[in-house]
Amino acid sequence: MSTGSGAHSAPAPNSDHDTVSDDATATAPGTAPGVGAGPAATPRKGTFSSLRIRNYRLFATGQVVSNTGTWMQRIAQDWLVLSLTGSSAAVGITTALQFLPMLLFGLYGGVLADRFAKRKLLLLTQSAMGLTGLALAVLTLSGQVQVWHVYLVAFLLGLVTVIDNPSRQAFVSEMVGQEDLRNAVSLNSANFQSARLIGPAVAGVLITALGSGWAFLFNGLSFAAPVIGLLMMRTSELHKVTPVARGKGQLREGLRYVSGRPELVWPIVLVGFIGTFGFNFPIWLTAFVYHVYHAGAGTYALFNGLMAAGSLIGALLAARRIGSRLRLLVGAALIFGTLEVAAALAPSFWIFAALLAPIGMVGLTINVTANSSVQMATDPLMRGRVMSLFMMVFMGGTPLGAPLVGWVTDTFGARIGFVAGGVVSAGAAAAIGLILARVGGLRLKIDLRRGRQHVAFVARGVPGEGAEAAPGMGGAAEPAGRADSTGADGDAEDPEAQRIAMRV
């Protein structure tokens, strides 16, 4: 349990480690379990409500500066590798090396995040990330850079990220508390995507006019902003969580915790597929710019800017959203894969470019929904380990997928590579959606009659005619007796099925 100032806002786990959520499915007094309490139970907050908290404002300000530098370095790094080698596979190798440490050591980063004060860990990791940017700047500006230098720096940056990612993800709840967690997660994404609009545009100008080294230099210096912000925070205002004492088996404990909760397992599996095969945009966009449209760094920056614009819209919409339902995650993943296939087959430059914004918007929806759903369903004492697993699967799959996707793109062309990523993403979404419905004892009901909800999930065994939506499905709730007694097979009471049904 969390202690210290703000402990009252952290969720107290139930006997099966459930955490209390402020989702729309929260149960009001006198309401049957699983039945939404209605709008009065969860008043809608403003889009920027988390920014009223001073510590979070400092964090967000520092992050927007460093994120801008990060995006400048990503564009410059991809373009530098492509210029040195002319190979999309080499870009894939660079990306893979940056995320390989997350695959190998990601879970240990979560253990460290739970064991030590997250603010102190972030001071160390943000400083180290700045040094990697400065090292690459020196190599590039001196004219000594070789592709293996970029590979090495990417790998070192990945090692730091192993600790930085879970610490930063879990630290958000310590700054804002449980009540504003979902909004803060969404604003973090909006912050990142705002920088993604600025960074590629500035990087495109710098690369064209002066070279990649200046983008690396700006990135290295930009990490001074989050370090200063962390130092200026009022530690007495943090919602502190007592660090987990050093002990044996903490890594296995985290894995057991996740494995016993389908509402954690399947979202993590889904983002694993999408992160491994569907988010390889550095490979695809450089290939489309270089080999399909025969353009330069400015066009690559334009493509990234369009995706960032869509992602920013998605993040702002997510910040206003009350719930983080798994059905939204699955539906967004299906649309994401379909849009990737459509973009891959686009007959013209401008149709391809126009599809990048909605791809960015839906991709961001996947990220925010999965992230907030997993965090809200996790005990605070386990959050570092759970989020490290989430990030390990989401980002750590890249070392496996990026070289393969790069090889497919080099061998069969940019369009085939992009199509393959979209097909895998959509197929994984469809399969996991069916699994979640099965585990939750739900089935899909389609009613095309006027005035009816056309698509809804209902409890399995409920007749099609006049059936009401299952708990948490957005329609009317089942009678309390049926909702509480219907399990995955429609007979015995199944608490796990009820929990899944409430989150779908």
Side-chain angles (χ1 to χ4, degrees):
M1 293 295 293
S2 60
T3 59
S5 63
H8 59 280
S9 65
N14 298 331
S15 59
D16 64 346
H17 299 289
D18 276 338
T19 54
V20 177
S21 170
D22 64 345
D23 204 344
T25 57
T27 303
T31 306
V35 179
T42 39
R44 182 178 294 275
K45 293 180 176 293
T47 303
F48 303 100
S49 61
S50 298
L51 291 176
R52 75 182 190 277
I53 301 168
R54 179 181 182 274
N55 284 343
Y56 183 72
R57 285 199 306 273
L58 290 170
F59 176 83
T61 302
Q63 287 298 307
V64 76
V65 176
S66 68
N67 285 338
T68 300
T70 296
W71 274 108
M72 291 177 65
Q73 174 153 323
R74 285 190 180 187
I75 300 300
Q77 176 180 283
D78 295 340
W79 199 254
L80 176 62
V81 171
L82 194 64
S83 300
L84 291 172
T85 65
S87 169
S88 295
V91 177
I93 291 171
T94 308
T95 305
L97 286 171
Q98 186 164 328
F99 295 115
L100 180 62
M102 183 64 70
L103 177 64
L104 298 177
F105 311 115
L107 292 175
Y108 295 98
V111 172
L112 293 174
D114 281 337
R115 188 177 293 170
F116 297 101
K118 297 171 186 62
R119 176 173 164 273
K120 293 180 180 179
L121 285 177
L122 289 173
L123 283 169
L124 293 174
T125 58
Q126 295 288 296
S127 300
M129 293 169 94
L131 291 176
T132 62
L134 292 175
L136 195 54
V138 170
L139 288 168
T140 307
L141 291 174
S142 66
Q144 302 300 313
V145 70
Q146 299 179 37
V147 70
W148 73 266
H149 292 143
V150 185
Y151 288 166
L152 177 61
V153 170
F155 183 76
L156 292 175
L157 182 61
L159 285 175
V160 179
T161 303
V162 166
I163 301 174
D164 182 80
N165 256 322
S167 300
R168 186 159 34 85
Q169 297 283 340
F171 189 56
V172 173
S173 65
E174 294 189 19
M175 287 184 288
V176 303
Q178 189 77 356
E179 181 181 356
D180 289 300
L181 177 59
R182 186 182 292 109
N183 179 262
V185 169
S186 300
L187 289 184
N188 280 351
S189 297
N191 184 322
F192 189 69
Q193 301 306 328
S194 298
R196 190 178 174 187
L197 281 171
I198 302 168
V202 177
V205 173
L206 281 178
I207 294 170
T208 302
L210 301 173
S212 299
W214 292 97
F216 300 142
L217 178 62
F218 181 91
N219 178 55
L221 296 176
S222 72
F223 281 94
V227 169
I228 292 172
L230 288 164
L231 291 172
M232 291 176 63
M233 286 185 181
R234 296 170 183 163
T235 56
S236 62
E237 296 178 6
L238 293 174
H239 297 249
K240 295 179 181 177
V241 176
T242 302
V244 176
R246 183 185 181 91
K248 293 183 178 180
Q250 291 176 333
L251 185 58
R252 291 192 299 273
E253 181 185 10
L255 292 174
R256 284 196 302 268
Y257 178 84
V258 173
S259 65
R261 300 173 65 89
E263 70 271 27
L264 296 179
V265 170
W266 293 113
I268 290 174
V269 171
L270 178 55
V271 299
F273 273 100
I274 291 175
T276 301
F277 299 104
F279 269 41
N280 289 287
F281 296 111
I283 297 171
W284 294 322
L285 295 186
T286 53
F288 267 84
V289 170
Y290 204 76
H291 298 297
V292 178
Y293 299 120
H294 309 290
T299 301
Y300 184 49
L302 169 65
F303 285 170
N304 277 277
L306 289 170
M307 288 196 68
S311 298
L312 178 59
I313 294 171
L316 293 175
L317 291 174
R320 293 182 60 83
R321 193 175 295 123
I322 294 177
S324 294
R325 296 292 186 81
L326 296 180
R327 60 176 172 176
L328 176 62
L329 173 62
V330 172
L334 277 169
I335 296 172
F336 177 78
T338 303
L339 286 173
E340 286 195 333
V341 173
L345 302 177
S348 72
F349 175 92
W350 290 112
I351 293 176
F352 177 84
L355 286 170
L356 294 179
I359 288 174
M361 182 175 69
V362 180
L364 193 282
T365 301
I366 295 170
N367 192 354
V368 170
T369 304
N371 189 310
S372 58
S373 295
V374 170
Q375 288 211 51
M376 294 298 292
T378 302
D379 188 311
L381 292 179
M382 303 293 295
R383 192 167 282 143
R385 279 164 283 182
V386 173
M387 292 311 297
S388 70
L389 177 62
F390 177 89
M391 298 307 298
M392 184 193 78
V393 172
F394 187 38
M395 300 171 59
T398 302
L400 303 177
L404 176 61
V405 169
W407 175 81
V408 171
T409 301
D410 275 345
T411 304
F412 301 102
R415 295 187 186 276
I416 297 300
F418 209 174
V419 165
V423 169
V424 172
S425 297
I432 290 171
L434 291 173
I435 291 171
L436 284 170
R438 177 68 182 173
V439 173
L442 305 172
R443 65 176 177 83
L444 186 66
K445 175 194 170 187
I446 299 177
D447 188 342
L448 300 181
R449 289 176 292 180
R450 182 178 299 179
R452 298 294 187 96
Q453 185 176 358
H454 298 318
V455 180
F457 285 101
V458 298
R460 191 175 293 120
V462 177
E465 285 295 321
E468 296 177 280
M473 294 302 104
E478 277 294 298
R482 182 187 295 257
D484 289 345
S485 62
T486 302
D489 295 317
D491 39 43
E493 180 177 344
D494 188 341
E496 181 180 276
Q498 293 179 35
R499 193 172 66 231
I500 298 297
M502 289 173 65
R503 294 190 178 275
V504 172

